[in-house]
């Protein structure tokens, strides 16, 4: 009796500690999550009570809405281009920064800064001016002798690239994760590789990349999820234009929900997005067995083989 | 295997952290909103919440006049003001929580939705019993606030479309100023001759909101953009109109190709007044909504000429229209309607308020206030010209537009995108109109 009482008290203290998080989680994540699922089966304009319409929203989305496919296409293109580039760039910088020097912490801060600033509205606005016809980018290109006077953000073939570029520029957090991953690779492997006559390129591809693959996997999944949810950059820099070339999925979802008062439809779109993200994440997880290597796992496999051999020998 | 599990735990933990991040951002936003709410304290416990969107100038002017009212009448206000972009988001969220402000600045695009869902009260009886003084207001022009036979918004002022032109550039090119009864062909030839003489282009008409251009075009043939009775596009069935509109849009694209209209890639990227060529003295003409006229003049630092939108070449009628610029509405959950009515009456009729606010919310409907502006010597010359222009337009058209039907924003967005596509050379003018009409029928249903 006394014991359980103590247990409850212990638990209570525990709940007290996670309370702030728990309340936020319920208020901003769990409840909206459930509510949006229910609302996706309704017609809801936020000004009067929702009306149940069954699967109508989903039907309309898949059969009548051209912009749904347009925006999905834009988003997939965005993710397919920006995520590999962002990760590649982050890895490149991480490898460069992975050395012993007193200036490294400063570099780390410098390269991480864009990620802190990047999501903010101010940077998007700055980006917009940099890539306008009379912006810094064109002025720079002209001074180095490239005659260039296109308006990057409103040219139909470069507009999406402006947003991709801003996304790549915010490579800080995957870079930090890569950096910590690089630090965990034992120096002895490199030494052994050098003994076997491996050059820097071979060292990178044969030692660094395989040992870093769990980190790459983690980063890929995280960035993939983030990439599908890109919103503020597209909203501020191009507002979906020109001609819906940068109308990313989240922006279209936002417009349907808030500008057109179709919250139910917007919720349905959000759930479709969840399924799409889930699908791609599952794809990455499935493929991981082919390219992600875990150090101890390899040893396990070798041990298993050895055991088998031994068993065969015994037979 | 264990490491794999650890990896997936890390992924999940990361996800949760991300979500936490979102939560925090939302909270911060909320806090910022809270700080926007300035509470004016008085001893009386009557309290009214007033919400509006606008620029910093509008915030300052509105707070100034309301503070003054609060002091004189012993009432307490709480102000909820934001920029246009987040305004209706906030309002919709408040509507969900049955927590709408008492007095709401409403837009012509959104008033239908709020009225049909019973969020706004009918103000007709307060106009009939004189609580809102309309003795100096033409009754017709109040019709702009009628939705489903209920007057749920008192028009703050009217605006209309206008061509603004830089007189210096016209003089330099030795081209005569535009007349109010000019045609689209004349508009384009004027732009071309100025470009030929000076190399200065003219802005593409309403690239940022094609609806205003097409609106005036269909009016030239005697239609309204959305039919008054059922909100449908009645003009779309008349071949003469669709032909005329697509020909005119095609002619505008001709100007883009020849280079005497501004490059659409440049123009589409503009967002503020200062971005535009007309405000920098780098274009000869531009088409705008008249309530922005003062801002453009101030940005340029000199007075711009005002002319009406061109007429269609094969139609005799003038295509001009008057729009209710925005409304003052009272929400259904307002507990002190009488006090709120008094505030609205003060805002639309008080001459001191008009002096502070100017024509920021459109040119006042009240003839007394308009005359005050015209007769007073210290009236800003830009304000004087815009009132003069509205008076000129009022002589030609008398009816004020009714609010747009539900889902109109989505429909006009289609037109906007297609119109830009025409200017980029991606779509024919005919397809643009066709696509807009078919999509609108779907959207409005």
């Amino acid at each position: 009796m006394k014991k359980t009482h103590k247990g409850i008290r212990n638990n209570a203290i525990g709940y007290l500690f996670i309370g702030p998080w728990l309340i936020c989680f319920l208020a901003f994540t769990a409840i909206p999550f459930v509510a949006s699922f229910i609302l996706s089966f309704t017609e809801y304009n936020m000004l009067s009570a929702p009306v149940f319409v069954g699967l109508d929203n989903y039907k309309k989305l898949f059969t009548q809405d051209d912009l749904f496919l347009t925006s999905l296409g834009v988003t997939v293109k965005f993710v397919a281009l920006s995520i590999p580039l962002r990760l590649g760039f982050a890895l490149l910088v991480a490898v460069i920064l992975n050395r012993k020097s007193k200036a490294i912490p400063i570099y780390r801060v410098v390269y991480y800064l864009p990620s802190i600033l990047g999501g903010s509205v101010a940077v998007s606005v700055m980006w917009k001016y940099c890539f306008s016809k009379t912006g810094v980018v064109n002025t720079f290109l002209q001074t180095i002798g490239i005659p260039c006077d296109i308006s990057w953000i409103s040219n139909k073939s470069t507009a999406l690239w402006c947003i991709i570029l801003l996304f790549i520029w915010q490579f800080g957090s995957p870079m930090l994760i890569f950096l910590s991953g690089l630090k965990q690779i034992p120096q002895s492997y490199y030494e052994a590789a050098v003994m076997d006559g491996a050059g820097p390129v071979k060292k990178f591809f044969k030692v660094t990349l395989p040992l870093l693959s769990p980190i790459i996997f983690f980063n890929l999944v995280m960035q993939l999820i983030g990439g599908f949810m890109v919103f503020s950059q597209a909203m501020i820099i191009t507002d979906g234009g020109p001609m819906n070339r940068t109308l990313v999925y989240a922006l279209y979802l936002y417009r349907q929900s808030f500008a057109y008062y179709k919250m139910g439809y917007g919720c349905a779109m959000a759930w479709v997005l969840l399924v799409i993200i889930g699908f791609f994440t599952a794809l990455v997880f499935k493929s991981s067995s082919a390219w992600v290597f875990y150090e101890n796992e390899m040893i396990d496999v070798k041990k298993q083989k050895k055991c088998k051999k031994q068993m065969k020998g015994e037979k | 295997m264990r490491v794999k599990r650890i990896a997936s735990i890390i992924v999940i933990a990361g996800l949760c952290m991300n979500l936490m991040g979102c939560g925090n951002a939302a909270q911060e936003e909320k806090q910022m909103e809270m700080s926007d709410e300035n509470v004016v304290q008085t001893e009386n416990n009557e309290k009214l919440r007033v919400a509006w969107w606008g620029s910093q100038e509008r915030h300052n002017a509105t707070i100034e006049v309301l503070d003054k009212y609060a002091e004189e009448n012993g009432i307490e206000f709480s102000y909820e003001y934001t920029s246009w972009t987040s305004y209706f988001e906030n309002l919709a969220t408040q509507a969900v929580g049955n927590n709408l402000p008492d007095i709401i600045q409403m837009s012509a695009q959104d008033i239908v939705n709020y009225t049909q869902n019973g969020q706004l009260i009918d103000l007709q009886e307060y106009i009939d019993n004189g609580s809102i003084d309309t003795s100096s207001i033409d009754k017709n022009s109040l019709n702009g606030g009628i939705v489903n036979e209920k007057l749920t918004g008192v028009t703050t002022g009217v605006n209309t479309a206008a061509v603004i032109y830089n007189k210096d550039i016209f003089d330099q090119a030795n081209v005569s100023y535009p007349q109010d009864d000019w045609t689209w062909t004349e508009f384009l030839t004027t732009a071309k001759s100025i470009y030929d003489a000076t190399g200065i282009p003219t802005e593409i008409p309403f690239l940022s909101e094609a609806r205003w251009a097409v609106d005036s075009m269909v009016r030239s043939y005697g239609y309204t953009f959305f039919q008054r009775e059922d909100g449908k596009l009645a003009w779309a069935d008349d071949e003469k109109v669709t032909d005329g509109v697509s020909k005119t849009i095609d002619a505008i694209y001709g100007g883009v190709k020849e280079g005497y209209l501004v490059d659409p890639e440049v123009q589409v990227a503009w967002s503020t007044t200062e971005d535009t060529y007309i405000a920098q003295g780098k274009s000869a003409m531009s088409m705008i909504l008249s309530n922005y006229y003062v801002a453009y003049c101030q940005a340029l630092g000199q007075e711009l000429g005002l002319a009406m939108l061109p007429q269609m070449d094969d139609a005799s009628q003038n295509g001009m229209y008057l729009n209710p610029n925005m409304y003052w509405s009272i929400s259904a959950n307002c507990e002190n309607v009488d006090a709120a009515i008094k505030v609205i009456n003060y805002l639309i009729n008080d001459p001191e308020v008009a002096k502070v606010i100017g024509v920021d919310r459109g040119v006042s409907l009240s003839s007394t206030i308009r005359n005050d502006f015209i007769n007073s010597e210290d009236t800003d010359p830009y304000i004087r010209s815009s009132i003069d222009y509205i008076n000129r337009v009022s002589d030609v058209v008398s009816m004020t537009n009714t609010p747009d039907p539900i889902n109109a924003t989505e429909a006009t967005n289609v037109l906007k995108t297609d119109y830009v596509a025409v200017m980029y050379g991606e779509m024919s003018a005919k397809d643009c109109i066709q696509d807009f009409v078919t999509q609108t029928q779907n959207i409005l249903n």
Side-chain angles (χ1 to χ4, degrees):
Chain A
M1 200 52 209
K2 215 178 174 184
K3 238 183 186 172
T4 49
H5 190 74
K6 207 178 174 186
I8 288 167
R9 242 184 79 181
N10 275 346
N11 282 347
I13 289 170
Y15 281 121
L16 198 69
F17 273 109
I18 61 165
W21 181 85
L22 204 62
I23 290 165
C24 287
F25 173 75
L26 285 175
F28 294 112
T29 309
I31 294 171
F33 194 75
V34 176
S36 80
F37 184 69
I38 297 165
L39 286 175
S40 75
F41 298 103
T42 65
E43 194 183 308
Y44 182 39
N45 61 12
M46 292 184 287
L47 303 175
S48 55
V51 182
F52 188 75
V53 292
L55 288 169
D56 276 11
N57 286 331
Y58 292 94
K59 271 186 207 149
K60 198 182 156 206
L61 195 57
F62 288 115
T63 55
Q64 286 177 27
D65 196 342
D66 294 341
L67 280 182
F68 164 69
L69 284 180
T70 310
S71 63
L72 198 60
V74 170
T75 312
V76 169
K77 192 176 164 193
F78 172 84
V79 170
L81 290 170
S82 65
I83 303 302
L85 284 169
R86 191 187 206 181
L87 289 183
F89 202 61
L91 183 58
L92 181 76
V93 177
V95 169
I96 293 171
L97 289 187
N98 185 30
R99 63 173 87 178
K100 286 190 181 102
S101 158
K102 281 191 175 157
I104 288 301
I106 297 170
Y107 284 123
R108 248 182 258 163
V109 171
V110 169
Y111 284 109
Y112 191 70
L113 265 182
S115 301
I116 301 173
L117 302 170
S120 79
V121 171
V123 168
S124 297
V125 173
M126 182 195 84
W127 214 256
K128 189 175 174 176
Y129 283 102
C130 285
F131 284 89
S132 71
K133 191 175 179 176
T134 51
V136 183
V137 173
N138 278 346
T139 319
F140 175 73
L141 287 175
Q142 278 155 17
T143 43
I144 60 167
I146 302 167
C148 184
D149 67 338
I150 66 164
S151 174
W152 298 88
I153 54 164
S154 46
N155 182 295
K156 58 177 192 278
S157 41
T158 58
L160 188 62
W161 280 101
C162 290
I163 298 167
I164 291 174
L165 211 60
L166 176 56
F167 198 73
I168 296 169
W169 185 58
Q170 301 155 27
F171 60 88
S173 61
M175 178 200 75
L176 279 191
I177 298 170
F178 277 138
L179 204 55
S180 60
L182 286 173
K183 293 230 181 285
Q184 279 175 1
I185 299 175
Q187 275 300 316
S188 54
Y189 290 0
Y190 290 109
E191 282 158 13
V194 171
M195 294 287 278
D196 288 343
V201 177
K202 208 150 205 182
K203 269 201 290 182
F204 178 75
F205 283 104
K206 296 288 180 191
V207 180
T208 313
L209 269 192
L211 286 171
L212 207 59
S213 60
I215 309 285
I216 297 176
F217 170 63
F218 169 76
N219 264 340
L220 183 63
V221 171
M222 294 309 290
Q223 297 302 321
L224 199 68
I225 294 168
F228 271 103
M229 297 195 294
V230 60
F231 169 70
S232 62
Q233 294 93 333
M235 165 125 175
I236 293 158
I237 301 176
T238 55
D239 195 21
M243 295 163 292
N244 296 331
R245 284 270 158 53
T246 58
L247 184 74
V248 292
Y249 194 89
L251 180 58
Y252 184 50
L253 188 160
Y254 166 84
R255 272 196 200 161
Q256 282 290 352
S257 322
F258 288 102
Y260 306 154
Y261 295 95
K262 291 178 181 166
M263 191 48 95
Y265 194 66
C267 288
M269 283 187 71
W271 276 87
V272 172
L273 180 65
L274 183 83
V275 171
I276 292 167
I277 294 179
F279 171 74
F280 279 100
T281 313
L283 217 61
V284 175
F285 264 91
K286 269 266 179 264
S287 74
S288 69
S289 57
W291 60 274
V292 178
F293 304 101
Y294 296 95
E295 218 178 328
N296 47 354
E297 202 178 51
M298 285 194 307
I299 295 164
D300 283 351
V301 172
K302 274 180 195 163
K303 265 187 190 163
Q304 275 172 11
K305 277 182 187 166
K306 245 184 198 172
C307 286
K308 272 181 192 168
K309 267 182 193 168
Q310 276 172 359
M311 272 157 72
K312 268 182 190 169
E314 273 168 24
K315 269 181 184 173
Chain B
M1 213 42 223
R2 233 180 83 206
V3 182
K4 234 180 186 177
R5 198 175 299 154
I6 290 172
S8 43
I9 288 171
I10 293 174
V11 170
I12 291 165
L15 255 178
C16 293
M17 264 161 65
N18 252 10
L19 294 171
M20 283 269 284
C22 294
N24 286 341
Q27 267 179 312
E28 270 165 35
E29 232 165 69
K30 195 142 205 184
Q31 265 167 5
M32 271 167 61
E33 272 159 36
M34 296 286 279
S35 63
D36 268 354
E37 296 177 17
N38 281 331
V39 180
V40 181
Q41 298 267 333
T42 52
E43 278 153 28
N44 201 308
N45 52 11
E46 270 186 279
K47 188 173 168 187
L48 287 175
R49 289 163 60 211
V50 190
W52 68 88
W53 75 85
S55 59
Q56 193 57 45
E57 287 77 34
R58 179 179 295 166
H59 299 330
N60 293 344
T62 312
I63 291 173
E64 187 185 331
V65 296
L66 287 177
D67 275 356
K68 191 163 160 260
Y69 183 86
E71 212 170 283
E72 283 167 4
N73 295 277
I75 198 169
E76 196 177 318
F77 284 121
S78 136
Y79 306 133
E80 297 171 20
Y81 49 88
T82 60
S83 68
W84 163 257
T85 19
S86 51
Y87 182 74
F88 278 97
E89 251 171 73
N90 281 346
L91 218 52
T93 329
Q94 286 172 326
V96 173
N98 276 331
N99 190 27
L100 277 176
D102 301 294
I103 301 174
I104 304 169
Q105 180 178 311
M106 216 7 109
S107 79
Q109 292 91 40
D110 299 86
I111 192 168
V112 179
N113 234 326
Y114 279 82
T115 305
Q116 288 194 353
N117 292 294
Q119 298 282 357
L120 304 175
I121 66 166
D122 190 353
L123 301 170
Q124 191 64 54
E125 61 173 302
Y126 302 98
I127 286 177
D128 293 342
N129 72 18
S131 303
I132 296 178
D133 179 16
T134 52
S135 53
S136 62
I137 294 174
D138 170 33
K139 289 276 181 318
N140 253 339
S141 49
L142 274 178
N143 291 346
I146 296 182
V147 184
N148 297 352
E149 284 144 30
K150 276 190 212 160
L151 185 106
T152 49
V154 181
T155 309
T156 60
V158 288
N159 76 356
T160 178
V163 178
I164 50 175
Y165 58 93
N166 190 318
K167 289 179 184 168
D168 288 353
I169 294 173
F170 269 73
D171 292 345
Q172 200 189 321
N174 208 10
V175 174
S176 54
Y177 298 153
Q179 298 295 310
D180 279 346
D181 58 349
W182 60 339
T183 63
W184 279 96
T185 311
E186 281 169 342
F187 164 75
L188 291 171
T189 37
T190 309
K192 191 173 178 343
S193 22
I194 291 173
Y195 182 74
D196 289 344
T198 61
I200 296 172
T202 286
E203 293 174 13
I204 300 168
F206 288 117
L207 189 65
S208 60
E209 192 55 82
R211 182 256 165 102
W212 302 123
V214 178
D215 201 327
S216 136
M217 290 179 197
V218 302
R219 257 160 226 276
S220 261
Y221 297 99
Y223 289 95
T224 48
F225 193 73
F226 292 112
Q227 192 163 274
R228 207 169 278 272
E229 294 76 32
D230 54 6
K232 292 224 162 73
L233 300 174
W235 53 269
D237 300 327
D238 189 336
E239 214 163 293
K240 192 186 171 195
V241 182
T242 48
D243 269 5
V245 172
S246 28
K247 263 185 204 147
T248 311
I249 293 179
D250 205 39
I252 295 171
Y253 175 54
V256 172
K257 271 194 295 191
E258 281 187 50
Y260 60 83
L261 296 182
V262 174
D263 180 2
E265 287 192 7
V266 173
Q267 193 172 335
V268 92
W270 294 341
S271 51
T272 63
T273 314
E274 287 75 19
D275 292 339
T276 62
Y277 278 1
I278 193 85
Q280 299 171 14
K282 288 191 335 205
S283 71
M285 293 183 277
S286 171
M287 291 193 192
I288 57 157
L289 291 183
S290 64
N291 55 316
Y292 294 113
Y293 170 74
V294 175
Y296 280 100
C297 289
Q298 279 166 350
L300 182 65
Q302 75 180 68
E303 195 174 335
L304 289 157
L306 277 162
M308 290 186 202
L309 253 53
Q311 299 178 8
M312 297 298 276
D313 296 74
D314 57 347
S316 53
Q317 223 172 320
N318 185 294
M320 292 304 294
Y321 47 88
L322 287 171
N323 266 331
N325 199 17
M326 51 187 85
Y327 314 93
W328 286 118
S329 296
I330 296 179
S331 74
N333 58 328
C334 172
E335 281 169 3
N336 200 341
V337 177
D338 289 329
I341 292 282
K342 274 185 202 153
V343 176
I344 290 182
N345 185 44
Y346 166 76
L347 286 169
I348 63 163
N349 278 316
D350 194 279
E352 294 303 314
V353 171
K355 253 183 215 162
V356 176
I357 294 182
V359 290
D360 183 53
R361 285 195 173 87
V363 169
S364 168
L365 296 179
S366 154
S367 52
T368 325
I369 288 177
R370 282 194 207 185
N371 288 337
D372 278 359
F373 269 126
I374 300 243
N375 296 332
S376 158
E377 272 177 20
D378 47 325
T379 302
D380 182 289
Y382 305 150
I383 291 183
R384 193 189 295 269
S385 323
S386 52
I387 294 175
D388 181 55
Y389 178 68
I390 291 284
N391 282 340
R392 253 152 67 202
V393 176
S394 308
D395 289 343
V396 192
V397 284
S398 55
M399 280 294 258
T400 311
N401 270 352
T402 42
D404 286 350
I406 269 183
N407 293 340
T409 319
E410 194 176 354
T412 49
N413 254 348
V414 173
L415 181 63
K416 175 181 155 180
T417 312
D418 287 351
Y419 183 72
V420 172
V422 174
M423 295 306 143
Y424 270 68
E426 294 271 294
M427 194 183 220
S428 76
K430 213 170 182 149
D431 289 348
C432 159
I433 296 301
Q434 186 90 52
D435 182 53
F436 167 63
V437 170
T438 31
Q439 289 214 44
T440 301
Q441 276 159 357
N442 262 334
I443 291 166
L444 292 186
N445 270 339

